[in-house]
Amino acid sequence: MATPFHVSLDNGIAEMVFDRPPVNAFDSQGWASIAAELERLGEAPEVRVIVIRALGRGFCAGVDIKELAANGDLIVAVNKGNYDSFKAVHRNPKPVIIAVHGFVLGGGIGLCGAADILVASECARFGVPEVDRGAMGGGAHLQRLFPVQKVRHMYFTGEMIDAAEAYRLGAVERVVKREDLRDAALSIARQIAAKSPAMIALAKEALTGIEDGNLEDKYRWEQGFTLQAYRSLDSQEARDAFVDKRDANFKG
């Protein structure tokens, strides 16, 4: 089965480029393959920095809702794929730079919240529509990007914020034109790749170790509520309504 991305390596910089039309929403196998490849790149001695970006209309729309609407039991495999992918970014021994454009939703938020550095095109928009899809999302990762009350507003309302606001809140390092996005990410990557790999590895481990709380433990706590949500009738109705392109009829 073809992977939903392609990878290249040049002068110590590995680029993982998402390419699963139309919206880069990944199924359970897709998430598993992303995690496995990121782990491989992290262990490869020839890799010094990892850049993740995407082709298409947006960076990542998260999980494949149609897969879950057809078989809700796959939520366990999807949860594992998400957990492993986010961990493979956050705990990667190499710095991970993520370059986003268009929509950054669901699992896309998890990847960005796990990253070391973010750059964004002017068209980027961040959101967590999980509540409207009958699920829970990556609140732990979102809270690594934005302040607590902003996270709750986004989570409860489903409203998105744009790249300019994300920059104002300190989550994004640079905001550039869409055509300059890859160059902006690679410019930062080249600065890092030119330094001592041993020193950068120590720096990342040290910085991860002094973070407030354990990101993976907090996300695992959240995933328990995702499983609980998926057992409710409203959750199934939300997924069915999304696939059928109609308004949901919640029973509460």
Side-chain angles (χ1 to χ4, degrees), residues 85-178:
S85 295
F86 306 162
K87 182 180 179 182
V89 171
H90 184 238
R91 297 286 177 175
N92 202 293
K94 312 296 170 60
V96 179
I97 301 168
I98 294 185
V100 299
H101 73 283
F103 44 77
V104 184
L105 304 172
I109 288 285
L111 292 169
C112 289
D116 296 291
I117 298 170
L118 284 184
V119 294
S121 73
E122 296 169 335
C123 66
R125 300 175 73 228
F126 300 80
V128 277
E130 272 79 353
V131 168
D132 293 331
R133 304 289 182 262
M136 299 289 102
H141 297 84
L142 196 66
Q143 201 161 294
R144 195 168 178 261
L145 295 170
F146 306 123
V148 172
Q149 281 80 9
K150 174 61 75 173
V151 168
R152 295 189 180 210
H153 182 269
M154 293 174 67
Y155 215 101
F156 297 157
T157 67
E159 291 183 14
M160 302 176 75
I161 65 171
D162 61 19
E165 177 70 353
Y167 178 81
R168 185 186 74 83
L169 293 170
V172 171
E173 179 64 27
R174 297 180 191 173
V175 178
V176 298
K177 294 181 179 179
R178 174 73 180 93

Side-chain angles (χ1 to χ4, degrees), residues 69-91:
N71 183 0
D73 290 340
L74 285 173
I75 185 58
V76 176
V78 170
N79 266 0
K80 177 171 172 47
N82 280 164
Y83 180 90
D84 290 345
S85 295
F86 306 162
K87 182 180 179 182
V89 171
H90 184 238
R91 297 286 177 175

